Amino acid sequence: MVLTCLLMASGIYYLFSKASAIGRVELGSSLAAPPSGGSNEPQNFLVIGLDSAEGLDPNDPVNIGRPGGIRSDTIMILRIDPSSEKASILSLPRDLYVPIAGTSGSSRINEAIQGGPQRLVETIRNDFGIAITHYLEIDFHGFRDLVGAIDGVPVYFPEPVRDLHSGLDVPTAGCITLDGVQALAFARARAYEVNRNGRWQTDPTGDLGRIERQQLFIRKVLQRAIDRGARNPAVLNELINAVTGAIHADSTLTNREMIDLALRFKDFNPSTLDTLSVPASPITVHGASVLKLDKLASEPILNQFRDVQSQVSPNGSILVSVQNGSGVPGQAQQAAAGLTKAGFVVETGTADADHFGYAFTTVYWASNLKDRAETVASYIPGAVVVPSLFVPSGVLVVTGENYQGVLDQSMANPSTTTSSTTSTLPAASSTTTTMTPTTLGAVPETPQDVHC
């Protein structure tokens, strides 16, 4: 999928005459406005792999056991910074449980596409604070065409691997060139198994491990395209024919923008592509296994795909959850949005408090986080600060009948009421920790002395 985007950026003037073959998607006003600084400013491309078998034979193996409906099988945000000629990819697990834009509930993020691409764009903006400038999508058939256009993708497998659900079957170790069918099976593998010492062992990381393998695959696809001669005009023309017929893009992505990106990234080195994912942990919601985002730990990663203002907020190390204690419809969501705008890290989703009728907006704190609670309260006129044994971590805001909104700036002398109760627990550090991405799951690694 990222081959699609970067080949578009590599096509230079060849692509200009081919642009009419690219399918277009209308997203209305959900996309962010183009950067005011022009083509030199960073932009975020939402790249979607659709769980759609349109164009494939009904008996195709990809349809085995596949549920009906369309979902976003893969969700990536590609950030391109022309000024530094840098590209980064953020993968969002398809099972992340988040509030879905335009609805009153939460679900897996991959289901947002059922309300149209604009709903997914708005969900990402609302839940992660990331503005999307352009949109690209590809389905199973298009993915296979792209892999076929570069004559397959070589991958070194230290052991035999398989996935009985996706159809992946690599019976021998070594350098294997994956064709379109097996490449798609590899990219979709969530029940990935490795044969070690004569026994099949399942990778327990599911979607998180799959993201690591997909990011490995992206680099190999990019390098394969270059090795095939993507910088040779004749070969490039063939590849672009496959690309333009396989993807859909938003209607605001102009030929001129593609040309500008092409001139910037025509010498792009795949090894410099930064790949990231967000930390998440499995939970069960209504009997379904989903993933919950680690909001605080994700902030340093998400900030790399946000604007500058989000990156420098002094409140970025304070985790806040919000509940409605007044009964006024939508009040908790309004408070969560206001606190997010003020730079706080707000837990995904809101809920009703244990009861309605709270007279005052109350900021509860736990584990000796009184200073953080007071900081939060300083943005909410009339809020009171109270310690609680029932707040598992962070700070909890319960809106009350006196709630009037969240200020953009802290009040100089916040009016708060605190208890003299002290805690013997050690104080939480206010230092923001930058996460270093680590490899999850079973990912085939190529030895240094092997070149596929």
Side-chain angles (χ1 to χ4, degrees):
M1 291 181 302
V2 176
L3 166 67
T4 299
C5 188
L6 293 183
L7 277 183
M8 288 174 62
S10 302
I12 313 182
Y13 297 101
Y14 293 99
L15 185 59
F16 196 93
S17 62
K18 306 284 187 179
S20 59
I22 298 175
R24 294 294 179 171
V25 180
E26 292 292 338
L27 280 85
S29 60
S30 58
L31 291 175
S36 58
S39 59
N40 285 330
E41 295 295 318
Q43 299 185 57
N44 291 327
F45 287 70
L46 179 57
V47 186
I48 300 300
L50 283 183
D51 185 353
S52 169
E54 183 178 353
L56 298 180
D57 189 286
N59 297 319
D60 193 287
V62 80
N63 286 312
I64 298 176
R66 179 178 165 270
I70 294 179
R71 295 172 178 81
S72 44
D73 197 58
T74 298
I75 304 172
M76 295 180 177
I77 301 172
L78 172 66
R79 186 169 181 85
I80 293 178
D81 187 349
S83 63
S84 63
E85 297 182 14
K86 179 179 179 182
S88 305
I89 289 175
L90 173 64
S91 296
L92 298 177
R94 52 173 282 170
D95 288 340
L96 273 182
Y97 192 75
V98 298
I100 304 299
T103 73
S104 58
S106 298
S107 188
R108 291 184 177 96
I109 192 171
N110 73 322
E111 296 182 12
I113 196 73
Q114 295 176 0
Q118 63 275 12
R119 177 165 290 174
L120 179 57
V121 169
E122 291 166 2
T123 296
I124 291 174
R125 181 187 64 209
N126 296 348
D127 295 337
F128 306 105
I130 296 175
I132 302 299
T133 311
H134 291 297
Y135 173 87
L136 297 168
E137 71 177 30
I138 184 172
D139 60 15
F140 295 159
H141 188 273
F143 182 95
R144 288 182 179 178
D145 284 349
L146 289 175
V147 173
I150 56 175
D151 293 336
V153 180
V155 178
Y156 179 82
F157 293 93
E159 309 99 347
V161 300
R162 70 182 185 184
D163 187 311
L164 300 179
H165 296 280
S166 74
L168 176 65
D169 183 19
V170 180
T172 58
C175 289
I176 306 296
T177 298
L178 301 178
D179 61 14
V181 173
Q182 283 296 291
L184 180 60
F186 178 76
R188 299 185 66 229
R190 303 174 71 203
Y192 191 82
E193 294 180 84
V194 177
N195 192 314
R196 291 175 181 162
N197 301 320
R199 295 180 55 196
W200 287 105
Q201 302 177 28
T202 302
D203 176 7
T205 60
D207 197 26
L208 299 178
R210 184 181 76 150
I211 284 175
E212 295 287 336
R213 291 187 292 273
Q214 286 179 342
Q215 294 178 343
L216 166 76
F217 187 75
I218 287 168
R219 287 195 180 90
K220 291 187 176 296
V221 167
L222 290 170
Q223 189 59 56
R224 176 67 163 181
I226 293 172
D227 293 343
R228 269 274 285 123
R231 289 169 181 157
N232 176 292
V235 175
L236 180 60
N237 189 56
E238 176 188 347
L239 296 178
I240 289 176
N241 282 333
V243 169
T244 55
I247 67 169
H248 285 74
D250 68 272
S251 58
T252 68
L253 182 60
T254 67
N255 295 349
R256 183 70 260 169
E257 285 182 277
M258 292 187 239
I259 297 300
D260 288 343
L261 288 174
L263 296 175
R264 289 285 189 177
F265 285 89
K266 60 185 176 66
D267 296 321
F268 182 77
N269 184 349
S271 66
T272 66
L273 178 68
D274 288 337
T275 54
L276 306 108
S277 59
V278 292
S281 55
I283 61 171
T284 300
V285 178
H286 304 307
S289 178
V290 296
L291 292 172
K292 180 182 180 182
L293 178 72
D294 186 335
K295 199 74 180 287
L296 193 58
S298 296
E299 283 300 290
I301 296 171
L302 297 176
N303 280 344
Q304 297 180 48
F305 294 79
R306 295 169 172 162
D307 56 23
V308 175
Q309 287 76 15
S310 298
Q311 297 182 39
V312 299
S313 171
N315 300 324
S317 63
I318 302 179
L319 181 64
V320 183
S321 54
V322 183
Q323 295 180 0
N324 188 334
S326 70
V328 176
Q331 192 174 80
Q333 290 90 333
Q334 293 173 9
L339 290 167
T340 299
K341 183 179 179 182
F344 295 99
V345 180
V346 181
E347 278 276 19
T348 300
T350 57
D352 291 336
D354 55 342
H355 68 275
F356 294 142
Y358 277 75
F360 300 96
T361 296
T362 307
V363 182
Y364 292 104
W365 55 274
S367 301
N368 204 25
L369 299 182
K370 176 182 174 182
D371 57 337
R372 299 190 180 193
E374 290 179 339
T375 299
V376 172
S378 71
Y379 285 79
I380 307 174
V384 297
V385 177
V386 177
S388 174
L389 298 176
F390 301 100
V391 180
S393 63
V395 174
L396 170 64
V397 174
V398 179
T399 62
E401 295 174 355
N402 72 333
Y403 176 78
Q404 297 179 353
V406 178
L407 302 176
D408 291 337
Q409 295 182 342
S410 173
M411 293 178 287
N413 297 296
S415 174
T416 59
T417 302
T418 61
S419 168
S420 60
T421 303
T422 58
S423 170
T424 57
L425 295 175
S429 170
S430 60
T431 302
T432 301
T433 301
T434 301
M435 283 197 60
T436 301
T438 57
T439 299
L440 297 171
V443 180
E445 297 182 2
T446 306
Q448 291 185 351
D449 58 344
V450 175
H451 178 71
C452 289

